[in-house]
Amino acid sequence: MSGQVLVLNTGSSSIKYRLIDMGTRRAVAGGLIERIGEDESVLTHDGVRSERRVADHEEGLKAVLAAFAEHGPPLDAVTAVGHRVVHGGSRFVTPVLIDDAVERAIEEMAPLAPLHNPANLEGIRVARRAFPALPHVAVFDTAFHGTIPPHAHTYAVPREWTRKLGVRRYGFHGTSTAYVSRRAAALLGRPYDEVNSIVLHLGNGASATAVRAGRSVDTSMGITPLAGLVMGTRSGDVDPALGAYLGRVAGMDLAGVDAALNKESGLLGMCGANDMREVWRLADAGDEDARLALDVYGYRVRTYIGAYYAALGHVDALVFTGGVGQNSPRVRALAATGLTRLGIEIDPGRNDAESAQARVISPEGAEVTVLVVPTDEELEIAEQTAACLAGA
Ligand code: ADP
């Protein structure tokens, strides 16, 4: 597909956007409007910041379009709009051309992602009104994990929950994981469908995914993005009976426990800081809680690597991505410590070398190639949008 794809990622109070030229696969413009609905919303268009009052997403998108009109580039080469949607449930395992029925289906899946899907849908509705003549495509965060086999996505719970209530592992970060695992195979110079990889997406949210021959076969997040690795403010794995226990001993209700596990746990809960840079600063200054938080974080990643090694049988590549995975050599070293028996080793010089490029950080000739691959979810959404429209 030639022309340009406008990628929209609508959150509850923000719209992130990127205009991507499909000929060059490069962003020609991009920005973000934040604090929609608050007194002072902030629009940053191609690095130029302005403040205004924006009451809702409709006004937000109008402000974005006004910024394009005022500062450029013109939007007349746009041939499609690609929308990030967090939860596609069991129904959407590939990108889909949006019509009214798809909108209703995204709405029906709101209980699975109450913070995200309603906001994503609002973005879709507003954009369809703004660009009625263009095709709009939904790209789901869960979709890449549609290939996880039943033994890995089924929870050992009453089967009525699974059959009637949609209870199962879905997984998230799929768009990012698809992108970086494909890039990793390309860097190895091998066909995507011949490479097994473990992808560690470590950002504010964090997940591990086992990819066999280009298909996700297990992932650490579950029915919601709370499960698995330690994250900035999310606990990751805990005993499922924790809520009941806290109800008995502290009178907490389930909603309170859920909120605390999502927003007050993880690194923040353990040491009072959720930004990985700050956690290291505290640890380096001798803060014991921060040191322990890092140990818990690294240990959890290592045990997931071990689990997915078992799931895959053979691993060609271990891939780090996300804000932490791309930028923190110390976290990468922590995550890969003690895994030499699995063929996983990091070359300290390569690991420490500063670079924004995709690169190999394992020693020459290592059994498992360890890579850092900067993710690009917007480019992946644009490519999947184009592929969907091409009928691929
Ligand atoms: P999100 O999951 O919201 O998309 P990112 O993938 O951008 O977030 O990751 C954001 C996180 O990356 C921040 O919380 C910060 O801890 C971490 N980060 C960014 N730069 C560095 C760095 N140089 N060293 C360690 N951590 C970093």
Side-chain angles (χ1 to χ4, degrees), residues 148-314:
I148 294 179
H151 65 258
H153 74 58
T154 305
Y155 290 146
V157 295
R159 60 194 152 195
E160 292 72 29
W161 296 4
T162 308
R163 288 182 189 157
K164 298 202 182 116
L165 303 177
V167 172
R168 51 163 286 183
R169 180 187 307 285
Y170 291 99
F172 299 85
H173 287 153
T175 308
S176 166
T177 301
Y179 176 81
V180 299
S181 58
R182 200 153 22 79
R183 286 277 289 137
L187 284 165
L188 262 53
R190 294 179 50 193
Y192 188 36
D193 60 4
E194 286 178 13
V195 173
N196 286 1
S197 56
I198 297 173
V199 175
L200 300 170
H201 179 117
L202 310 178
N204 281 319
S207 68
T209 299
V211 182
R212 174 183 289 132
R215 293 164 151 251
S216 171
V217 292
D218 202 356
T219 193
S220 58
M221 286 176 167
I223 185 169
T224 78
L226 179 60
L229 303 180
V230 175
M231 313 184 207
T233 65
R234 285 176 243 163
S235 62
D237 294 337
V238 292
D239 186 330
L242 183 58
Y245 174 76
L246 291 171
R248 284 197 299 277
V249 301
M252 290 178 75
D253 62 11
L254 283 179
V257 173
D258 189 52
L261 291 176
N262 273 290
K263 296 185 190 139
E264 296 158 22
S265 298
L267 296 170
L268 180 70
M270 286 187 285
C271 72
N274 65 300
D275 189 304
M276 188 54 92
R277 288 162 289 202
E278 177 64 7
V279 179
W280 278 108
R281 202 191 58 71
L282 290 169
D284 289 340
D287 184 307
E288 303 256 327
D289 289 343
R291 191 62 245 177
L292 176 63
L294 289 168
D295 287 344
V296 175
Y297 187 101
Y299 177 72
R300 187 82 56 85
V301 175
R302 289 199 296 281
T303 53
Y304 264 94
I305 293 172
Y308 290 165
Y309 214 109
L312 291 169
H314 171 86

Side-chain angles (χ1 to χ4, degrees), residues 357-381:
Q357 302 299 313
R359 59 203 183 274
V360 172
I361 57 166
S362 47
E364 212 57 54
E367 197 179 320
V368 175
T369 307
V370 184
L371 303 110
V372 178
V373 179
T375 193
D376 195 337
E377 287 173 280
E378 286 80 10
L379 177 59
E380 180 67 21
I381 290 171

